[in-house]
Amino acid sequence: MAKKVAVLAVNPVNGCGLFQYLEAFFENHIPYKVFAVAETKEIKTNSGITLLADDVIANLKGHVDDYDALVFACGDAVPVFKDNAGKQYNLDLMEVIKTFGEKGKIMIGHCAGAMLFDFAGITKGKKLAVHPLAKPAIQNGEATDAESQVDGNFYTAQDENTIWTMMPEILNALK
């Protein structure tokens, strides 16, 4: 039986990255649920398209054991994360990431995904592919120049254009 995936989508989310994950999961019959990292289920893509997620991040707290993997879909919300770090949905985001990581679940992200995994304190000793602009923020893991990186249950890509390089390994891990 396929593993169930919790997909986190910031607001605004990078539609290209988000839909690469969702289409791959759909086509490979991997069940998933999209959680908006926002106060409501309505979010936008970087290009302004309105999306309605399945639920909000607050409702994933306490239900981590219902999922085998977490996907972090990056977006324009991340560059202003520091301005909104104290908002409840971002506090919930960090708590959920930390809980998934502490339980040793599969963690998948691109662009700043590895950086947020690192901020949550779950990357100690891990090699992470991270967007070059986010690289200086990595404290606990080792930020690499690789386009994509697989290190145990951590799957990271520098940006949405390199998700496809790690997708075969992700799909294999989720089946």
Side-chain angles (χ1 to χ4, degrees), residues 5-159:
V5 181
V7 179
L8 308 182
V10 296
N11 187 26
V13 68
N14 181 300
C16 180
L18 174 64
F19 284 105
Q20 282 185 67
Y21 294 125
L22 299 184
E23 288 298 315
F25 299 156
F26 174 77
E27 291 171 2
N28 288 277
H29 309 285
I30 297 169
Y32 64 86
K33 188 172 184 179
V34 179
F35 293 87
V37 180
E39 294 169 344
T40 69
K41 295 191 294 184
E42 186 176 296
I43 60 174
K44 290 190 179 281
T45 66
N46 291 350
S47 57
I49 304 298
T50 300
L51 302 175
L52 189 62
D54 298 312
D55 209 337
V56 294
I57 187 75
N59 294 332
L60 181 54
K61 290 178 8 181
H63 297 281
V64 168
D65 289 333
D66 297 345
Y67 298 89
D68 303 290
L70 176 137
V71 170
F72 178 80
C74 196
D76 282 351
V78 173
V80 295
F81 177 81
K82 67 177 175 61
D83 298 332
N84 297 294
K87 295 206 173 168
Q88 189 59 52
Y89 57 85
N90 279 327
L91 297 174
D92 294 342
L93 167 69
M94 298 310 290
E95 180 181 333
V96 164
I97 289 173
K98 185 173 179 69
T99 304
F100 267 86
E102 288 174 343
K103 290 181 177 264
K105 297 192 180 235
I106 296 169
M107 307 285 291
I108 304 162
H110 68 277
C111 292
M115 180 182 72
L116 290 179
F117 297 165
D118 193 65
F119 286 172
I122 56 172
T123 61
K124 184 123 178 105
K126 299 282 183 198
K127 288 187 177 183
L128 309 166
V130 64
H131 192 284
L133 294 176
K135 212 170 166 181
I138 300 295
Q139 301 289 318
N140 298 304
E142 180 185 336
T144 71
D145 289 329
E147 288 183 351
S148 65
Q149 183 71 47
V150 178
D151 192 354
N153 281 340
F154 278 75
Y155 298 78
T156 57
Q158 279 192 344
D159 57 38

